[in-house]
Amino acid sequence: MAVGSNHGNGLFFRTLTEVQAQHIHAASSRILEETGMVIHHLEAVELLRQAGAYVEGENHVYFPAWLLEQALRTAPSRVTMYDRMGRPAMYLEGSNTYFGTGSDTLNFLDPFSGERRSWRTEDVAAATRVCDALPNIDFVMSMGLLSDVEKRMINREQYAIMIQNTTKPQVVISEDGDTLRDIIEMAAVAVGGKERLRQKPLLMSYTEPTSPLQHPAESIDKLLVAAEYGMPTNFACGGMAGASVPTTVGGALVQANAEALSGLVIHQLKRPGAPFIYGYGNSPMDMRTMQAVYGTPEAILFQGGLVDLAHFYNLPCWGYAGCCNAKVCDEQAVMESTMFTLMGALQGCNIMHDVFYMEFGLTGSLELLLISNEAIGRARRIQRGIDTDPAHLAVEAIQRVGPGGNFLGDEHTAQYFRENWQPDLSDFNNYENWTLNGSQTMAERAREKLKYLMEHHHPEPVPAEVKEQIERILKAASARLG
Amino acid sequence: MNSFGNMAEAVIAGDFETVKKMTQTMIDEQVDPIAIINQGLMAGMNVVGVRFKAGDMFVPEVMMSARAMSTGIELVKPLIADTNMPSAGKVVIGTVKGDLHDIGKKLVVMMLESAGFQVVDLGVDQAPADFVKAVQEHNPHVVGMSALLTTTMLKMKDTVDALKEAGLRDKVKVIVGGAPVNRSFAEQIGADGFASDAATATDLCKTLAQ
């Protein structure tokens, strides 16, 4: 049976046809060949020049088609991410989907006081432990920007918190290559050395240069450091449709694809075969407020197109889910985030971040995180599709129960009902029982569960000697930065 | 009067070809160039401002109107002495040292220009000394700084301090903006204003440039 993706048993979803993907590839190739990219990084420009790219002036690079095709041949089609114990945790390939939080929100929507305030170290640690407990959160990002540590140390301190408060894989932000090296050091001491880390990557580096058609030095630095260490990295340029990429979804895809491919070429020249996650971050500009927004229908379509391009190139891909523009965890928050989550799952986007983002990514809500955990659970069941083997077609059970009977007392029901999705935060009580349970809204139930998780969930700790090594790396960095 | 009205309508519609033709016709008919700007071009743009605020027009349409207005202004400019050129005010703007993010700043520039401000855009990665030099050279009403990174926003204070040291702080209003910047930070570093988006920044400049 021909299917567009391998979502379970033939569940079919794609945004672009094969021919449309080919058209976008051709258009992006034209941009790279005719318009080129400005790359503010001498080593990268030199790598490109030697590989046969055309360089005008100091750093304006034009990419011939064969150079793209060469990079697409050497880049791996699948990347496995491991947890802190060295167990495989995410197979980034095909239409597999994984979900995680976002990084560096400025404000924490305190679930218990309702206050919108800066993140402190203990908030980020507690939030990370909650992620560790949630079954549908597969990886973590730093969630909150620490307000109580020295600014140059923020990324390093965030990493130290993540690695000590969850065993799940991480996607990490680093302000420059030097920061990334320190983060890799910390990860290496936790998993037993750099070679081990390269073999079983616990972290992926996050790189987000700014469109249009240019790459800043720090982004390329990080890209090259990731290639050098063999750490998986994304290279998701960030754009605002209508400002830094075209307002049409097709045009945004053409430019996004050109920028992503240019990053892939540089990355593969540095170390052929190094793991690269294809992607792009497009937040369309709202034309009334000039705000970059999440999860509009066009942004969701854009992601579908991008995922289909990744499948067309046979590359793992990066995207978004569970994020919104609402200021509090209200109806808009749940509508926007859930629509993005379900669509991202159906698109088959391999690794989706920003679950729990509110207010265009400026604020994080743990209630939304818990509600999204439930939405992801629902989406995952849908992805599994319909089993049509004899046991699931249940002819015998239907014959057994017969006209006027009831399946509730039949063994087939007892044997298979657990395969169906079960609610956790969603309330399926009748009105009377819902009232007896305190007439709670979903957000209230989420807060109650949060409280429970914060008190009762204790992630696997890192050994004392690892903790000491992490402290040592932080101290050394702090001393070096003065 | 009627032709001024038609010109304003063409500005509102963002029809630069018509604006260009009408401006040339008026110049040929020896209409007062300042009146062309104030009663025709700017009059149209003022309506655009009101409609945008009411939510009846969107940013890309405002941009088209602004382009139409500048098409006309380019034609009459050579006929007016620099000192008589109608302007809402002058703004020097840039992204601070170490920061290359300028999408937000570019939006502010576009909105300011469409509101009739004369804008000197310094670009990205501008050191405190660069701002000081630009203020000395251009003598603006307002200097605007932008930052996206929490690490680079600290440079805003350095710039305010540099303006003080150069004895320029009383001669210019300082405004700041960017994702991590907020009102209390603006107050902390001694800026005169903060705006959370490009439209608010434009209103703020109008108030400060008066």
Side-chain angles (χ1 to χ4, degrees):
Chain A
M1 182 182 181
V3 292
S5 65
N6 63 357
H7 302 322
N9 294 287
L11 187 68
F12 183 98
F13 188 90
R14 60 183 296 167
T15 308
L16 297 172
T17 64
E18 184 84 6
V19 172
Q20 283 182 305
Q22 184 63 51
H23 284 169
I24 291 171
H25 170 74
S28 303
S29 302
R30 275 193 57 192
I31 300 294
L32 288 169
E33 220 171 87
E34 298 168 25
T35 314
M37 299 276 310
V38 172
I39 294 164
H40 299 280
H41 196 285
L42 290 177
E43 185 192 345
V45 172
E46 216 30 59
L47 276 172
L48 288 160
R49 192 199 308 271
Q50 280 169 19
Y54 304 97
V55 181
E56 208 174 83
E58 247 178 45
N59 55 14
H60 197 145
V61 182
Y62 299 83
F63 297 72
W66 60 265
L67 202 51
L68 309 181
E69 285 161 20
Q70 178 184 298
L72 286 165
R73 273 196 300 276
T74 57
S77 64
R78 61 188 299 278
V79 172
T80 308
M81 298 279 303
Y82 293 76
D83 70 9
R84 185 167 20 104
M85 303 359 228
R87 296 172 298 215
M90 302 197 286
Y91 296 103
L92 308 178
E93 62 183 316
S95 292
N96 292 350
T97 53
Y98 300 96
F99 296 85
T101 61
S103 74
D104 301 280
T105 57
L106 288 171
N107 312 298
F108 176 45
L109 210 54
D110 188 317
F112 306 116
S113 69
E115 197 192 347
R116 176 176 174 273
R117 59 174 176 80
S118 304
W119 289 84
R120 296 185 286 256
T121 297
E122 65 266 26
D123 302 323
V124 174
T128 308
R129 285 194 294 272
V130 169
C131 291
D132 189 76
L134 296 176
N136 293 318
I137 296 299
D138 305 299
F139 67 95
V140 295
M141 292 186 71
S142 71
M143 304 181 87
L145 193 81
L146 297 172
S147 64
D148 55 355
V149 304
E150 208 282 307
K151 284 205 159 61
R152 297 286 313 277
M153 287 294 291
I154 288 176
N155 297 150
R156 294 172 178 87
E157 295 280 0
Q158 283 170 332
Y159 189 73
I161 296 174
M162 280 195 277
I163 200 168
Q164 293 180 75
N165 287 281
T166 180
T167 58
K168 293 183 179 180
Q170 317 108 6
V171 177
V172 301
I173 307 285
S174 49
E175 61 181 87
D176 51 27
D178 190 41
T179 309
L180 183 55
R181 282 177 209 278
D182 281 341
I183 287 172
I184 290 173
E185 287 285 333
M186 285 188 257
V189 300
V191 302
K194 286 209 184 93
E195 207 39 44
R196 181 103 177 144
L197 183 66
R198 196 199 302 275
Q199 186 194 355
K200 298 184 167 187
L202 167 67
L203 67 92
M204 173 189 301
S205 170
Y206 176 92
T207 314
E208 187 183 12
T210 318
S211 294
L213 306 178
Q214 58 175 355
H215 297 320
E218 311 82 64
S219 305
I220 299 298
D221 248 353
K222 284 161 56 179
L223 187 69
L224 296 180
V225 169
E228 178 192 327
Y229 284 91
M231 279 293 104
T233 181
N234 74 353
F235 191 75
C237 303
M240 276 163 90
S244 54
V245 286
T247 189
T248 50
V249 179
L253 279 171
V254 168
Q255 191 186 316
N257 185 40
E259 292 178 8
L261 292 178
S262 71
L264 174 74
V265 170
I266 296 168
H267 183 258
Q268 292 299 304
L269 285 175
K270 177 72 180 179
R271 188 185 173 108
F276 182 90
I277 316 296
Y278 172 92
Y280 190 88
N282 180 22
S283 298
M285 187 163 89
D286 172 62
M287 291 305 180
R288 217 185 283 275
T289 59
M290 300 174 92
Q291 183 66 54
V293 293
Y294 275 128
T296 60
E298 290 78 18
I300 293 174
L301 276 172
F302 172 90
Q303 177 159 302
L306 207 69
V307 171
D308 288 345
L309 284 167
H311 290 154
F312 173 77
Y313 292 131
N314 211 10
L315 292 173
C317 59
W318 166 265
Y320 295 76
C323 48
C324 68
N325 310 301
K327 317 303 172 282
V328 292
C329 188
D330 63 359
E331 294 82 352
Q332 183 186 344
V334 177
M335 179 183 71
E336 289 176 339
S337 61
T338 302
M339 199 180 263
F340 215 158
T341 295
L342 176 60
M343 292 302 291
L346 295 179
Q347 288 160 352
C349 185
N350 298 141
I351 179 163
M352 286 172 271
H353 77 307
D354 284 355
V355 173
F356 110 120
Y357 262 21
M358 316 267 301
E359 202 194 334
F360 339 103
L362 291 175
T363 297
S365 156
L366 298 182
E367 290 104 308
L368 185 63
L369 178 71
L370 261 69
I371 294 171
S372 292
N373 178 65
E374 179 114 341
I376 296 165
R378 288 176 181 248
R380 285 194 154 147
R381 172 61 190 96
I382 293 171
Q383 280 176 282
R384 287 210 325 262
I386 301 170
D387 284 314
T388 52
D389 62 325
H392 287 82
L393 291 183
V395 172
E396 283 168 20
I398 297 166
Q399 288 174 340
R400 229 174 11 247
V401 172
N406 195 314
F407 287 91
L408 190 55
D410 191 82
E411 68 212 44
H412 185 269
T413 308
Q415 194 176 344
Y416 290 103
F417 85 97
R418 281 190 179 277
E419 289 182 4
N420 296 342
W421 178 81
Q422 299 296 330
D424 177 17
L425 282 182
S426 304
D427 181 272
F428 287 2
N429 284 300
N430 64 21
Y431 188 84
E432 299 306 320
N433 289 331
W434 174 71
T435 321
L436 283 174
N437 286 338
S439 310
Q440 285 176 318
T441 63
M442 191 163 191
E444 284 167 342
R445 290 192 296 276
R447 280 193 283 280
E448 205 162 79
K449 182 162 183 199
L450 258 178
K451 202 165 195 170
Y452 177 84
L453 290 177
M454 283 177 169
E455 281 165 15
H456 294 93
H457 180 74
H458 304 288
E460 182 73 32
V462 295
E465 65 272 18
V466 169
K467 212 176 161 72
E468 277 166 29
Q469 296 266 46
I470 291 171
E471 285 304 317
R472 182 186 54 79
I473 294 166
L474 289 175
K475 277 210 184 99
S478 184
R480 211 167 55 239
L481 294 167
Chain B
M1 189 58 216
N2 192 25
S3 51
F4 281 138
N6 290 340
M7 181 182 260
E9 280 306 322
V11 169
I12 296 165
D15 180 350
F16 15 103
E17 282 308 312
T18 305
V19 171
K20 196 172 173 183
K21 268 186 221 145
M22 289 172 107
T23 311
Q24 195 53 56
T25 310
M26 285 191 194
I27 291 170
D28 296 342
E29 289 168 358
Q30 313 252 310
V31 176
D32 172 17
I34 295 202
I36 297 178
I37 293 183
N38 286 337
Q39 295 176 50
L41 302 169
M42 285 288 252
M45 214 52 220
N46 289 338
V47 174
V48 169
V50 172
R51 290 195 185 166
F52 173 67
K53 270 206 186 125
D56 296 332
M57 281 179 83
F58 292 87
V59 180
E61 292 157 346
V62 175
M63 293 298 139
M64 290 305 106
S65 296
R67 270 179 68 181
M69 174 182 72
S70 355
T71 313
I73 287 181
E74 287 308 311
L75 290 176
V76 289
K77 211 174 177 177
L79 312 173
I80 306 170
D82 275 356
T83 44
N84 294 336
M85 194 65 197
S87 160
K90 196 193 266 187
V91 181
V92 161
I93 193 167
T95 301
V96 297
K97 187 75 194 156
D99 210 321
L100 298 174
H101 300 89
D102 66 347
I103 295 173
K105 187 211 67 191
K106 278 185 183 155
L107 296 176
V108 173
V109 171
M110 287 196 269
M111 290 301 276
L112 283 171
E113 283 175 345
S114 59
F117 280 90
Q118 215 185 322
V119 184
V120 182
D121 185 354
L122 304 177
V124 297
D125 196 20
Q126 293 294 307
D130 300 325
F131 280 99
V132 169
K133 202 172 136 232
V135 170
Q136 279 161 343
E137 189 179 330
H138 301 287
N139 193 26
H141 296 91
V142 179
V143 57
M145 283 181 278
S146 153
L148 179 74
L149 308 174
T150 47
T151 42
T152 55
M153 69 191 255
L154 302 174
K155 293 287 173 205
M156 290 179 168
K157 182 169 187 324
D158 298 347
T159 307
V160 173
D161 293 344
L163 287 168
K164 264 185 212 153
E165 271 169 41
L168 296 165
R169 186 64 191 88
D170 302 335
K171 299 188 177 116
V172 68
K173 301 288 184 189
V174 176
I175 65 170
V176 292
V181 178
N182 58 29
R183 197 170 303 280
S184 75
F185 175 78
E187 280 165 16
Q188 229 177 68
I189 64 164
D192 297 297
F194 152 81
S196 59
D197 61 55
T200 320
T202 308
D203 289 343
L204 181 63
C205 286
K206 279 181 189 159
T207 318
L208 292 176
Q210 265 170 11

